[in-house]
Amino acid sequence: MILEYHRPKDLQTALALLNRQEIATLPLGGGTVLAQKSPQPFAVVDLQELDLDGIQLKGRQLEVGAAVTLQKLLESAEIQPALRRALQQEASYNLRQSATLAGTLVACAGFSPLATALLALDASLKLEPGAEQLDLGELLYLRQNRLRGRLITQINLPLNARLAYHSVSRTPADIPLVCAAAARWPSGRTRIALGGFGEAPRLALDGPDAGGFEAAVSSAYQEAGDPRASAEYRREMAVLLAKRALEELDRDADHA
């Protein structure tokens, strides 16, 4: 239950509210997460007045405000087509209109297509106070501790990497049972991230090339079983999807 609502006009006031000890206070972006029922009362800090909803191209990096909606990001001409597909699978059109990028990353589970794609891309975040730069991979498994009293203000998306994304699910509209994203930089550096299981997507490979990817992917999902799918199924599909993603990157390079 929401006990208090605040709409500060500057970042300092917002951070002061978030750091209060007398009542749990949470940031409010699109409201898609906080709209869910909670057994504990809390206060919210609306971020609408903080100018965090812009998208700016700087060199080969896209600087995305934390309050940018998923739909606005999807409509950005600069993002990779594979990232656009992951955004479409992340949420329906209506939810994409209100869900924010930062809010989605903070609340995501291991099956998140968007978080999987951004993990492969080695996306980074800017946290306040302190303007700390943090890799998405560093945040995903430590969200409660790293974000207490802090605020994500910006997400940085590299654009100098090619991206491929593949998934399998029970139905086209269902959340993925397994998904794999692969990113490759001009230097040959390759990252593979897997989604479909656990608290957050997993980084399976980050190396100078894709050598040994099958063993790395298989190891990452060695114990990825749950009521939705067995570990053996996920492991086999993860290797297959990662292979498809890498083959897509190879084809793109041949036609570049």
Side-chain angles (χ1 to χ4, degrees):
M1 180 175 64
I2 298 176
L3 293 183
E4 296 178 8
Y5 170 86
H6 301 273
R7 192 168 177 171
K9 297 185 179 299
D10 60 80
L11 183 61
Q12 290 70 28
T13 303
L15 290 170
L17 289 165
L18 290 171
N19 278 281
R20 295 186 302 171
Q21 300 299 316
E22 60 270 23
I23 181 173
T25 307
L26 304 173
L28 173 65
T32 56
V33 176
L34 296 185
Q36 302 173 17
K37 290 184 178 181
S38 171
Q40 301 296 328
F42 58 94
V44 297
V45 177
D46 195 326
L47 307 179
Q48 290 188 64
E49 301 289 340
L50 302 186
D51 194 27
L52 299 178
D53 59 351
I55 299 178
Q56 186 173 7
L57 179 63
K58 282 197 175 180
R60 297 303 298 163
Q61 179 171 276
L62 201 63
E63 297 182 350
V64 184
V68 166
T69 66
L70 300 187
Q71 185 62 28
K72 183 175 180 178
L73 179 60
L74 187 151
E75 294 171 354
S76 173
E78 288 83 7
I79 68 171
Q80 296 93 334
L83 181 54
R84 192 168 287 113
R85 293 197 300 273
L87 279 160
Q88 290 172 327
Q89 193 176 31
E90 180 72 29
S92 66
Y93 175 77
N94 287 339
L95 283 176
R96 293 197 305 267
Q97 293 278 18
S98 54
T100 64
L101 179 55
T104 299
L105 294 177
V106 169
C108 77
F111 54 76
S112 169
L114 176 60
T116 303
L118 293 186
L119 182 59
L121 274 176
D122 201 13
S124 63
L125 309 98
K126 182 179 179 182
L127 271 62
E128 296 289 355
E132 178 186 1
Q133 295 290 331
L134 188 68
D135 292 341
L136 176 60
E138 296 179 64
L139 176 73
L140 285 175
Y141 281 93
L142 300 170
R143 281 170 279 186
Q144 288 188 343
N145 294 330
R146 297 302 296 264
L147 293 178
R148 187 174 292 114
R150 309 191 73 188
L151 192 63
I152 298 172
T153 58
Q154 182 176 295
I155 298 92
N156 303 313
L157 309 182
L159 297 179
N160 61 336
R162 296 191 305 275
L163 178 70
Y165 172 83
H166 290 269
S167 67
V168 61
S169 55
R170 289 193 177 94
T171 70
D174 201 6
I175 59 176
L177 293 171
V178 187
C179 58
R184 181 177 294 155
W185 280 256
S187 65
R189 179 195 180 194
T190 303
R191 284 170 63 96
I192 298 175
L194 306 176
F197 171 79
E199 298 177 8
R202 299 183 181 185
L203 183 65
L205 177 75
D206 185 356
D209 53 42
F213 84 91
E214 291 190 9
V217 168
S218 180
S219 176
Y221 262 23
Q222 189 68 31
E223 298 181 1
D226 64 16
R228 298 175 62 234
S230 68
E232 181 181 6
Y233 173 81
R234 279 208 175 93
R235 188 166 59 251
E236 292 179 356
M237 290 307 302
V239 172
L240 176 62
L241 295 175
K243 182 178 181 181
R244 288 178 181 173
L246 291 172
E247 289 173 346
E248 180 181 328
L249 294 179
D250 289 339
R251 290 194 300 272
D252 290 345
D254 291 340
H255 291 94

